[in-house]
Amino acid sequence: MSEIDISQVDAIIDGCGTARSEAITILTSIQDCFHYLPQEALDRVCERTDCTPAQLYGVATFYSHFRLQPAGAHRVKVCIGTACHVKGAGAVYDAFRRHLAIEGDDDTDADRLFTVEKVACLGCCMLAPAVQIDRTTYGHVTQAQVGGLLRDFLAAEAQRAKADGSKVLRGAGVAGEVRLCRCTSCEAAGAGAVWEATHAAIQALHLNVRLQLVGCTGLSFEAPLLEVVGEGGDAFRYGMVRADDVEATLLRHFQPAGLHRRVTTRALRWLDRCVDSFEEHEAPFRYAADIRETIASPYWQRQDHIVLDGAGEVGPLDLTAYRARGGFEALQRCHARYTPDEVIELITASGLRGRGGGGFLSGLKWRQTATAAEGMRYLVCNGDEGDPGSFMDRMILESFPFRVIEGMAIAAFAVGAGEGIFYIRCEYPLAVKRVREAIQMCVDAGLLGEGLTLRVAEGAGAFVCGEETALLAAIEGQRGMPRIRPPYPSEQGLHGQPTLVNNVETYATVPWIVAHGPDALRQLGTPGSPGTKTFALAGRIVRGGLIEVPMGTTIREVVEEIGGGVGEGHTFKAVQIGGPSGGCIPARLADIPIDFDSLHAEGSMMGSGGLVVLDDSDCMVDIARYFLAFSQDESCGKCTFCRVGTRRMLDILERLCAGEGRAGDVEELEKLGGWVKAGSLCGLGQTAPNPVLSTLQHFRDEYEAHIAGTCPAGRCKALIRYAITTDCIGCTRCAQHCPVDAIPFAPHERHEIDDELCIRCDTCRQVCPSNAVIIRSHNPRS
Amino acid sequence: MSGSIINVSIDGRPVAVAEGATVLDAARELGIDVPTMCYLKDAKPFTSCMVCLVEDTASQKLLPACSSLAQDGMTIRTDTAQVHEARQRALELLLSEHVGDCEGPCRCACPVHLDIPRLLRAVGRADWRSARSIVDDAQPPCVGEQDCKAPCERVCRRNQVDAAVSNSHYGSISSRSVIPSLPRDLLIIENTGDLLRQAQHRLSTSLEMTDQTRHECLQNENCCAAVSIRAVVRCVAGLDVEATAGPSVEAFVRNVSVIGKLMAEEHPVMMRDVSAASRVVAVDPDGGYAADEATREAARCMHCDCRKGHDCALRDYAIAYEADQRHYAGGGRRPFEQITQHADILYEPGKCIRCGICVRITEREREPLGLTFIGRGFDVRIGVPFEGSLAEGLREVARDCAEACPTGALCVRKEAQQ
Ligand SMILES: Cc1cc2nc3c(=O)[nH]c(=O)nc-3n(C[C@H](O)[C@H](O)[C@H](O)COP(=O)(O)O)c2cc1C
Ligand code: SF4
Ligand code: SF4
Ligand code: SF4
Ligand code: SF4
Ligand code: SF4
Ligand code: SF4
Ligand code: FES
Ligand code: FES
Ligand code: FES
């Protein structure tokens, strides 16, 4: 391997410090610099810091973000999170590998340009399947697009250097405003290009219009969403906008300074095309922003916004706007009027329960931390959000960083903490960046109060680090292995000191409680679970996105009214709530209210709030296998029941999906699942069997069917065959798209599939214009 | 607050312990035995093996005794069916990925359970007193009787390794593994008087050999790849040395045996540090080997047994809890590995339960390089940082680690002289 420039490593160490606890920060910086962890760099770190070789190597091999082998110039991360999984991410991953001719254990192409990896969730679930290349995210990726996407990335890469920095046009007498969210999801849906186009159009047309960056609207199913506020203050929203549409859209609302002929013709051209090429590009949805009376109305009616207050209106880093809406008043009120004890009382009285999954009473936790031993106290904001299928915390951090900071500051005041740490997963670069900036702005404005410092620690790719003791180990620069509780972090946390660990959303709710009083929270939600909860609604649903509803809203209301139900021609089968620790709740129980206790009673869990909708085309055994595989892969490997037990459960599930199930497998799975729950050390192992046990409870017949050799939903590859019916019109599209040439080219004739070659990737079925490709059950036993 | 006394009850017996004590401490106070594997005295608990599970009566939940803090008013049971089964399952899960046999096939086949691999090691280092003790220890002592058909040699693993190079008919026997057809958990033998008959019966029914091949095999002693055990035994038995009594044969030999037929890639692993020579031909064919011949022949043994067979928590608990190693098998076994880079100790990763004891010892004793966990999840393993050699990793505390390791994963190479 080529020599590396050791002075870069030295600079990193100088920047990060030499304490043992900086190990992960140092490694992250080294990896950012060299794209992997060169041995010379690691040796240098051992030499110059307090980190030991055992610690560094242990850490470097624990977190999936780190790699010890050189990577390609760009890293392609294919999301295989829940939402992406159900939308065919596995095939997209395979397609990238095929396209780049990557084989075997390798993950990088021969030119060492792209390294293809799987990631758990990119937090853009409603745009599934999602793919991230370096820091650019792409949504709705299909197998057929893979080649074009890579080309697009390289082209954009070449241009990136030229991009100018003046993003916001301001000027006197603005006639109107154009608002656009550029959070990760919107970017993935193409918001970047729309932004550039809008910017260009405003300049080209000399419009007297301000381009405003705003936080998430929640309407992610329509991203990118352009909101145009005209002179009179009337607002219109345009969903699924493309860069090409922008100019014409603006022209509908604003008069150009001088109406150039060129512009007019361009607009006309656009209108023409819109009519002509309807097939290629559906015109954007558009409707007045007073949407309570328009199509998305149910999407909003059911919602109540506490943590999402200001969604789509306020710029994420617009401190003035946040304060104009009452931001930081709650904190000031605490400082001015309450004792720390009274603040804790307030939170206790509100009945707030932690939003990180367990639903522990926040007031009680605050009290425990406040009354623990004397000395330094810490505050941690858990933004690890590793649940593959949820993105609420990402959106809150990206869009409302001030709200979380204010909640943290209030908590710090209440429990007497001197340092607060945001632990944010590294898959959320934008959240990290915005929170850092927001902290700096608060510090500059002198808002945090005396004796509180806030900082961000980045995760390095480990789901288990969402578990609080593992998270603390990670902040201390160690392998993220949980430890037994008690002692709880509130007694002995970071560096052995009392530490308050709360979830992002928990903190984000706090200012509202202080501002509106504890009773106001209890007016929302249920007696046992007061307040609201955000959910990431994704999967087989018409309108996916970030929603915030009062606790106690039923599953049916969420799926059918807010989400608009499953796609046409399909039936709603189940929801998976709470990700890998939660469970499936079948459609027939859709009327149960969503709150901590009702879900628990059904063998599911609130988890962090991922809500993935499944329909009749989803195989429950496959879903169970998917989640278990996730947990098994993310197990820290410490305790026997989780480390080996989940592996043995997965052995059985893999057998079932491969059509090799044996009599007794289902019973063994159930028993072993029970032992893994009972005998595991931390929440990961204790909940990992939930998806299996809950699907076993509600869909046992599907398990039995797999043992008998059929997959009722037609998903498990070993148990199906693709075939082409007489509906085939001989258009050759399937033949063109089949990645393995399993369909001979036969223009105008009925096509046929070669079973031997077919890898059951589903492409042909997706591209066939006449629905001639069907899936047949294939029983390997008969 | 600290220094206060905590009252708990275990199996119905009350006990008072100091604050900060664990349930395990309390149980030990009462003399109640709780199995532990990852527990390391005076170190922070790691809570990994989960064989120490006990039941909290109030919540019915299982708690790891080694690291659960005793809390006032707690009532614990260590003797319920749930506890027994939980421990059994934990052990079975650990065994499901275990790669290693407690005993070599030769000893399992021997009607008198002569500890052949250990004998051969003693002979190999010309430690005749130890060798003699081991021979005397077998009951009744094996004297390499002519009428014993040497089943030890027939099942000897060396057959599997050398068979590849042998063009003799022996290949046909060794290519079908005789070992897996042995009852896996060899009988619990209590009545030594019946020993020989039982064993002979067992062999005649379980070895899938026709009389013809067996006959041929015995006729062709010299072309056989197996270690020539009988001749070595004769040599040792004939020596005039005064032996001190060795450790007596375990009351029973229950074997954790998973290796069975060697995979091709395992041959070089097994043959590392082993003489590649073919069988030593005795100058005097009837009287057994001369001492130097015996030593040379002993060097051909691959030591299929586990060096910790007599001192392994996993094996002991597996027997005590009747853990069935096949319960969760089915994932296929990983290849047998042996790390021989260290002069004093051996590391056999397939026997490691990831208890972290060795890691904690190297950390505590400030071993410069030490050991660490590598990777995570099911595939997490113990190794030297940056894949350095074991000799570099364990400079100071190799023996401490080997002694503290609850299984045969880390073990001392050279056995003590007797
Ligand atoms: C495997 C595992 C993953 C977790 N992931 C998260 C997470 O991503 N975010 C989070 O806030 N809490 C997560 N938790 C819960 C935390 O351990 C902890 O309970 C929570 O952060 C406490 O905050 P709360 O009281 O505000 O909910 C996870 C727990 C487990 C066992
Ligand atoms: S339950 Fe799993 S993740 Fe948790 S400590 Fe055990 S092995 Fe690690
Ligand atoms: S024939 Fe098979 S491999 Fe080809 S596109 Fe269809 S499903 Fe995929
Ligand atoms: S480590 Fe223990 S259980 Fe494993 S082979 Fe050795 S003695 Fe037997
Ligand atoms: S020769 Fe000796 S060691 Fe071999 S089987 Fe017979 S009695 Fe046992
Ligand atoms: S190689 Fe040695 S230990 Fe292995 S079976 Fe043969 S004699 Fe026994
Ligand atoms: S080598 Fe031994 S002490 Fe070390 S982790 Fe493995 S089993 Fe434990
Ligand atoms: S972005 Fe793929 S599941 Fe979340
Ligand atoms: S509006 Fe951007 S994702 Fe919410
Ligand atoms: S001894 Fe308690 S978990 Fe291992």
Side-chain angles (χ1 to χ4, degrees), chain B residues 86-401:
Chain B
R87 291 176 183 171
Q88 188 182 40
R89 295 291 167 262
L91 290 161
E92 284 170 346
L93 286 171
L94 289 173
L95 290 176
S96 74
E97 58 155 5
H98 190 79
V99 186
D101 296 348
C102 304
E103 300 294 347
C106 48
R107 187 183 189 189
C108 295
C110 170
V112 300
H113 286 300
L114 175 63
D115 192 344
I116 296 162
R118 198 152 63 94
L119 167 73
L120 294 175
R121 286 193 285 275
V123 171
R125 59 179 189 265
D127 174 3
W128 301 110
R129 266 159 58 103
S130 300
R132 186 58 202 258
S133 296
I134 294 165
V135 167
D136 288 350
D137 214 38
Q139 292 170 4
C142 161
V143 288
E145 286 290 357
Q146 200 63 51
D147 57 332
C148 173
K149 302 282 184 255
C152 54
E153 292 181 25
R154 232 172 298 134
V155 300
C156 174
R157 281 240 172 84
R158 186 74 196 244
N159 289 322
Q160 297 181 31
V161 173
D162 287 13
V165 291
S166 157
N167 57 2
S168 78
H169 67 279
Y170 210 96
S172 64
I173 296 170
S174 51
S175 64
R176 81 188 127 104
S177 172
V178 289
I179 297 145
S181 60
L182 278 172
R184 286 256 172 149
D185 44 350
L186 284 165
L187 336 157
I188 296 175
I189 299 163
E190 270 132 14
N191 182 352
T192 42
D194 277 348
L195 209 73
L196 206 63
R197 251 173 299 118
Q198 277 185 21
Q200 275 166 346
H201 174 72
R202 198 169 72 231
L203 285 164
S204 61
T205 53
S206 60
L207 286 186
E208 288 167 7
M209 278 186 180
T210 61
D211 284 343
Q212 177 61 24
T213 50
R214 187 173 300 156
H215 179 74
E216 281 177 33
C217 160
L218 290 174
Q219 293 307 303
N220 283 280
E221 204 173 337
N222 289 341
C223 81
C224 165
V227 177
S228 182
I229 300 163
R230 193 166 45 178
V232 175
V233 173
R234 273 191 215 144
C235 164
V236 174
L239 281 170
D240 187 17
V241 288
E242 195 194 326
T244 53
S248 64
V249 171
E250 283 108 71
F252 45 81
V253 181
R254 192 191 177 101
N255 190 10
V256 170
S257 163
V258 288
I259 291 191
K261 182 158 168 50
L262 294 177
M263 305 182 203
E265 70 256 42
E266 290 171 334
H267 292 178
V269 179
M270 297 294 290
M271 285 296 286
R272 217 180 274 147
D273 300 342
V274 170
S275 160
S278 51
R279 258 164 100 117
V280 174
V281 181
V283 176
D284 168 10
D286 289 330
Y289 285 137
D292 69 310
E293 289 171 330
T295 311
R296 265 192 291 137
E297 182 62 14
R300 298 183 62 241
C301 171
M302 307 187 297
H303 310 290
C304 313
D305 62 334
C306 180
R307 256 30 98 73
K308 279 267 194 76
H310 52 287
D311 178 26
C312 169
L314 183 57
R315 184 182 189 182
D316 292 349
Y317 293 141
I319 294 166
Y321 286 88
E322 297 176 302
D324 174 1
Q325 68 187 74
R326 285 160 304 175
H327 189 157
Y328 297 117
R333 78 167 170 87
R334 308 189 217 206
F336 176 75
E337 278 180 90
Q338 193 175 54
I339 313 288
T340 55
Q341 297 153 331
H342 201 285
D344 298 338
I345 60 167
L346 284 178
Y347 172 35
E348 295 177 356
K351 298 176 180 174
C352 171
I353 60 160
R354 283 72 155 182
C355 72
I357 285 182
C358 54
V359 176
R360 280 175 284 165
I361 290 178
T362 56
E363 211 171 73
R364 187 178 66 193
E365 304 301 324
R366 304 193 177 272
E367 217 1 303
L369 201 51
L371 296 175
T372 186
F373 286 99
I374 301 172
R376 73 167 182 222
F378 183 65
D379 295 318
V380 65
R381 63 195 165 88
I382 302 293
V384 179
F386 309 130
E387 310 299 336
S389 93
L390 201 61
E392 294 169 286
L394 293 175
R395 284 193 209 153
E396 318 282 339
V397 291
R399 276 184 168 266
D400 298 350
C401 289

Side-chain angles (χ1 to χ4, degrees), chain A residues 126 181-183 185-186 215-220 223 225 394-395 399 546:
Chain A
M126 60 286 153
C181 168
R182 288 191 69 183
C183 71
S185 320
C186 289
C216 175
T217 58
L219 285 161
S220 318
L225 186 78
R394 171 180 69 72
M395 286 204 180
S399 298
L546 176 64

Side-chain angles (χ1 to χ4, degrees), chain A residues 354-356 365 382 384-386 466-468 501-503 506 683-684:
Chain A
R355 303 312 196 216
K365 203 191 270 186
N382 188 342
D384 194 51
E385 194 171 55
E467 197 281 336
E468 53 190 21
V501 183
N502 272 137
N503 167 258
T506 313
L684 191 151

Side-chain angles (χ1 to χ4, degrees), chain A residues 54 57 61 479 638 640 643 648, chain B residues 46 49 96-97 372 375 387:
Chain A
Y57 198 56
T61 57
R479 292 165 58 86
K638 189 179 194 181
T640 303
R643 181 175 69 84
R648 297 298 169 237
Chain B
F46 187 61
C49 70
S96 74
E97 58 155 5
T372 186
E387 310 299 336

Side-chain angles (χ1 to χ4, degrees), chain A residues 611-681:
Chain A
L611 210 154
V612 181
V613 180
L614 305 169
D615 69 19
D616 53 341
S617 63
D618 291 304
C619 165
M620 301 315 276
V621 180
D622 175 64
I623 292 287
R625 183 195 57 83
Y626 166 78
F627 278 111
L628 198 80
F630 177 84
S631 301
Q632 191 266 328
D633 196 47
E634 293 291 340
S635 160
C636 82
K638 189 179 194 181
C639 66
T640 303
F641 281 101
C642 175
R643 181 175 69 84
V644 193
T646 56
R647 177 69 244 177
R648 297 298 169 237
M649 287 178 75
L650 189 59
D651 287 345
I652 299 178
L653 285 163
E654 281 175 346
R655 254 191 339 249
L656 293 179
C657 290
E660 290 159 9
R662 310 170 192 155
D665 270 355
V666 175
E667 292 72 19
E668 185 58 62
L669 198 57
E670 205 162 21
K671 277 194 214 138
L672 182 53
W675 287 115
V676 171
K677 270 176 87 108
S680 290
L681 171 61

